[in-house]
Amino acid sequence: MNFYTLDYIVSHQSLDSTRRVVAVIVLLVVALAFSALYLRNRAQTRWRDAGIGLLVLSLVLLGIQTEQYFRVSHQYSQSQMLVHFVEGIATDHNVKVEDVLVSSRSLQDGMIVRFNEEDYTVHLNDDNNSYTLERTHIINHAVYVNGEH
């Protein structure tokens, strides 16, 4: 079973966004290169055809990026809520934030929280403003903690 530290969650919030920005920048550089080649040799249709193909590819990738942007935006807001949740758990139970581990990278009902070497199932209310913890036991005790050095 995988658990995550707060440091891991915070550090990986922007990783997907960075990858998408780099992909779009590379695509724009390639599009500019094809445009320059076409404008330099307007008589050669191979650059025009390559440019049209790149334009179609760019539009498809732009659509995919837009859909992923909305998904990542939702995940980011969920992970922000998880950060506040972990901080609240630490405060309510007098433990260090670093000692609280969660089984999900976004706030969701049914995830497992571990602190003081005990596991708890999280039950959230409908608007995610309050929670209850229920002592639970995991079946597979082989645990991997993401974010530990």
Side-chain angles (χ1 to χ4, degrees):
M1 175 173 245
N2 288 331
F3 280 93
Y4 305 95
T5 63
L6 185 63
D7 290 337
Y8 180 87
I9 293 167
V10 170
S11 68
H12 284 78
Q13 285 178 348
S14 63
L15 186 62
D16 288 337
S17 301
T18 304
R19 289 179 184 160
R20 280 187 196 79
V21 168
V22 168
V24 168
I25 289 172
V26 167
L27 190 61
L28 288 174
V29 168
V30 171
L32 286 173
F34 276 117
S35 298
L37 288 172
Y38 173 68
L39 290 175
R40 195 181 77 196
N41 299 320
R42 290 181 192 212
Q44 294 181 359
T45 59
R46 67 180 167 165
W47 297 119
R48 183 191 65 195
D49 294 343
I52 291 172
L54 185 64
L55 177 65
V56 170
L57 177 64
S58 298
L59 291 175
V60 169
L61 290 177
L62 183 64
I64 292 170
Q65 294 296 336
T66 302
E67 185 271 330
Q68 287 180 349
Y69 170 76
F70 289 122
R71 183 179 52 80
V72 167
S73 176
H74 177 70
Q75 286 177 345
Y76 179 76
S77 67
Q78 287 292 318
S79 64
Q80 284 297 95
M81 290 174 66
L82 182 61
V83 168
H84 295 298
F85 172 76
V86 169
E87 291 169 346
I89 290 281
T91 301
D92 292 345
H93 296 278
N94 297 320
V95 294
K96 295 178 185 176
V97 174
E98 298 84 27
D99 295 336
V100 178
L101 306 174
V102 292
S103 65
S104 174
R105 291 187 285 177
S106 62
L107 186 61
Q108 58 188 15
D109 192 44
M111 71 180 194
I112 297 173
V113 176
R114 175 179 279 188
F115 58 91
N116 292 336
E117 298 187 22
E118 293 181 349
D119 299 319
Y120 299 89
T121 300
V122 176
H123 299 287
L124 298 168
N125 70 343
D126 291 336
D127 60 357
N128 292 348
N129 284 328
S130 65
Y131 64 90
T132 57
L133 297 178
E134 178 183 350
R135 182 82 163 94
T136 191
H137 302 276
I138 58 174
I139 294 172
N140 183 0
H141 292 281
V143 171
Y144 177 74
V145 178
N146 294 288
E148 282 192 343
H149 303 288

